[in-house]
Amino acid sequence: MSPSLCSCAEQVRKLTQQASIMRREIKNLRQQIDGSIRAHKKQLSSLQSMLTDCMKHDDRLQSVSKSPSQSPGGMNQLLEQGRIQTVPIGYISSCFAVKTGTPRQPTICSSSRASLKIEPSVFNNPEHSLVGLEQYSHIWIIFLFHKNGQMSYKAKVKPPRLNGQRVGVYSTRSPHRPNALGLTLAKLERITGDTLHLSGVDIIAGTPVLDIKPYIPDYDSPKTRTDDTNSEYKQTSSFTDPMDLGEEPETLETSSEPSSELSVCPAAVSDFSFSERSGSSEVTDVLEEVKNYLRQQQLFPENPDEDKNTDTPEGTSAATNPLSLRFGHEDYSTIAAWVRAPPISNLDVRFTANAEKELKEFLPCDSTDSTRPNFQFLKGPDEAVAAIHGILSADPRSVYRRTRCQDRLFFFTLDTADITCWFGDGFAEVVRVKPVQRSELTNIV
């Protein structure tokens, strides 16, 4: 046999082997495709079944909500069990577009602004539901933490102000709660039609609002309730107040405590109602504090001479003694010590010269000049500076980012401004302020 015929036979044999291998590969690919098609059909069938169940469930809920008269027993049973379907009355439009950089409490950034428009699907005439609300300066807002990312929650959480320490979730205002409900106090600036204009908010844009209620100091402030109780006590009790007799009490003569201890410490919520009082009424409040303090001292003498040698342990604080005297905000309500004295301190806030120049380029929200960037909520650069100070001084970083992350740069959005800053030891410095890109403005409105 000639060499040429041998080489041809060898090539034919190799080609035949390759063809058989290709057939096997094609067969395997067909089997994989068939398996993928079957799995895909199975997943589609499962999803279709789930959607069908959800639609049936929604239809049942809608039929119950639209025709409660047909099944009042079912509605009453759901209401008594607390299993009700909530409907947002509106959605917040805020100067905070995302969670990053949003203050954790409303008083941190009193210059922040937002608006709430009542949905027409809730009332045929939404503006009618707001009649009379203009008589109040502040409102409670009950909302949903819609940006938690998941519905998981734990019994103990790590508040950022505690720098990693764990406490019970119900002793904090953590957003990760069984029902993910939030409560905040906002200043009501004005009402136009069906829209509320607010300030001092800590809510991001798009937040579903479930309810609003007027803030009434007479009912919501512990100090007001205490004052009312004291006034009733003075009218019904036979106790003679030394301050009413114009006599100087002996306790003031023998007291060695500095007079500054009798100054009033403002309460967190009741500040709003006291800020509008006149100077004379503030003096009256201080006198009421002194009188209440002296009244307690007569009713519950502190450390009498005959009890000096009792077996009370040394170092026992007055807060643990049920008969200890209280004055100032301690006489109205008590809070956890870490709220006023957290393990982390406030930061100093600085601006670079370039950041100040860039911020001054922004125009107020009511400006019609289109050649320069303008705010949508804030009234000018000064208000923006105040808001940035409030946000950064409270250190908006998470505990992980504060303690373990080496990158000290921090980015957040305020109204229509993208802000870049960095954190040092005890301070935060703003280095750049740029307008938000047009595509991102839809998140703010």
Side-chain angles (χ1 to χ4, degrees):
M1 185 179 291
S2 63
S4 60
L5 292 176
C6 292
S7 61
C8 289
E10 183 69 20
Q11 291 179 1
V12 170
R13 186 179 63 83
K14 290 181 178 179
L15 290 174
T16 304
Q17 291 178 350
Q18 292 177 0
S20 62
I21 292 173
M22 291 174 64
R23 289 193 188 99
R24 287 196 297 269
E25 292 293 334
I26 291 173
K27 183 179 180 181
N28 292 336
L29 288 175
R30 284 175 177 171
Q31 292 177 350
Q32 292 179 5
I33 291 173
D34 292 339
S36 299
I37 291 174
R38 287 194 296 270
H40 182 62
K41 289 181 178 179
K42 186 176 180 180
Q43 291 179 356
L44 285 178
S45 177
S46 176
L47 288 174
Q48 188 175 6
S49 176
M50 292 174 61
L51 287 174
T52 303
D53 293 340
C54 290
M55 291 176 64
K56 291 180 179 179
H57 180 68
D58 290 342
D59 291 339
R60 287 196 298 268
L61 290 177
Q62 290 179 5
S63 63
V64 172
S65 61
K66 289 182 179 179
S67 58
S69 59
Q70 297 178 3
S71 57
M75 285 295 295
N76 291 338
Q77 184 178 5
L78 290 176
L79 186 61
E80 290 177 0
Q81 294 176 354
R83 301 174 60 184
I84 61 174
Q85 182 183 15
T86 59
V87 179
I89 65 170
Y91 297 86
I92 288 288
S93 297
S94 171
C95 62
F96 302 110
V98 294
K99 292 192 299 183
T100 304
T102 302
R104 298 187 178 99
Q105 302 299 332
T107 55
I108 292 177
C109 185
S110 59
S111 57
S112 60
R113 297 186 180 275
S115 62
L116 172 63
K117 183 176 181 180
I118 305 299
E119 290 288 308
S121 59
V122 180
F123 298 106
N124 293 330
N125 298 295
E127 63 275 6
H128 291 181
S129 64
L130 303 177
V131 173
L133 190 61
E134 73 281 352
Q135 302 176 41
Y136 299 90
S137 63
H138 294 79
I139 60 172
W140 294 109
I141 301 177
I142 302 171
F143 61 93
L144 191 68
F145 288 109
H146 70 302
K147 289 293 186 179
N148 277 356
Q150 72 279 337
M151 290 299 294
S152 61
Y153 50 85
K154 297 181 180 180
K156 285 190 174 182
V157 295
K158 299 177 180 179
R161 287 172 65 84
L162 274 180
N163 209 27
Q165 300 179 33
R166 290 181 180 271
V167 292
V169 65
Y170 290 128
S171 67
T172 72
R173 298 186 175 186
S174 169
H176 301 285
R177 320 176 74 84
N179 290 307
L181 292 178
L183 174 69
T184 190
L185 185 67
K187 181 175 176 56
L188 180 59
E189 297 289 345
R190 67 184 187 281
I191 299 176
T192 55
D194 58 357
T195 303
L196 294 85
H197 299 272
L198 312 168
S199 64
V201 296
D202 57 347
I203 312 177
I204 66 176
T207 297
V209 175
L210 304 181
D211 198 8
I212 55 175
K213 298 177 184 292
Y215 168 72
I216 305 176
D218 293 7
Y219 307 143
D220 298 339
S221 171
K223 180 187 186 308
T224 305
R225 293 200 296 269
T226 304
D227 289 346
D228 292 342
T229 304
N230 290 342
S231 62
E232 294 176 3
Y233 173 81
K234 287 190 292 184
Q235 294 174 1
T236 59
S237 174
S238 60
F239 169 76
T240 303
D241 196 331
M243 299 296 290
D244 293 337
L245 297 177
E247 299 175 356
E248 186 175 4
E250 296 180 0
T251 53
L252 291 179
E253 297 177 358
T254 58
S255 174
S256 60
E257 300 296 330
S259 59
S260 60
E261 286 195 0
L262 297 180
S263 61
V264 179
C265 298
V269 176
S270 56
D271 279 344
F272 297 111
S273 61
F274 302 148
S275 60
E276 299 176 357
R277 291 187 177 183
S278 62
S280 59
S281 62
E282 292 178 356
V283 173
T284 304
D285 288 343
V286 175
L287 293 177
E288 287 296 329
E289 293 294 338
V290 176
K291 292 164 66 174
N292 191 29
Y293 181 83
L294 295 175
R295 182 183 301 113
Q296 295 179 70
Q297 198 168 28
Q298 285 203 1
L299 294 177
F300 307 109
E302 199 173 33
N303 296 331
D305 295 337
E306 59 272 20
D307 294 333
K308 285 184 178 179
N309 296 325
T310 58
D311 55 354
T312 304
E314 291 185 6
T316 302
S317 62
T320 60
N321 182 5
L323 299 181
S324 62
L325 301 184
R326 297 174 179 270
F327 57 91
H329 62 272
E330 295 178 354
D331 188 38
Y332 316 139
S333 60
T334 56
I335 61 174
W338 63 266
V339 176
R340 289 197 177 100
I344 60 172
S345 57
N346 288 342
L347 304 177
D348 293 330
V349 181
R350 311 171 184 172
F351 288 79
T352 63
N354 184 60
E356 290 180 348
K357 181 180 178 182
E358 292 174 337
L359 189 57
K360 290 180 180 178
E361 290 295 317
F362 284 79
L363 297 174
C365 56
D366 54 357
S367 174
T368 58
D369 188 355
S370 60
T371 60
R372 292 166 56 186
N374 63 305
F375 293 115
Q376 289 189 357
F377 293 92
L378 302 178
K379 295 183 177 180
D382 292 339
E383 203 166 69
V385 169
I388 295 171
H389 268 278
I391 294 170
L392 295 181
S393 63
D395 199 344
R397 297 174 296 173
S398 63
V399 176
Y400 174 83
R401 192 160 189 173
R402 187 188 305 141
T403 57
R404 298 185 181 182
C405 188
Q406 296 181 354
D407 186 8
R408 295 192 171 189
L409 282 176
F410 188 79
F411 309 90
F412 68 99
T413 301
L414 175 66
D415 205 325
T416 57
D418 273 335
I419 299 169
T420 303
C421 62
W422 73 283
F423 289 87
D425 294 333
F427 70 90
E429 185 174 47
V430 179
V431 296
R432 192 179 69 174
V433 181
K434 292 293 184 181
V436 174
Q437 298 297 326
R438 290 293 178 182
S439 59
E440 301 176 6
L441 288 177
T442 55
N443 296 329
I444 301 177
V445 180

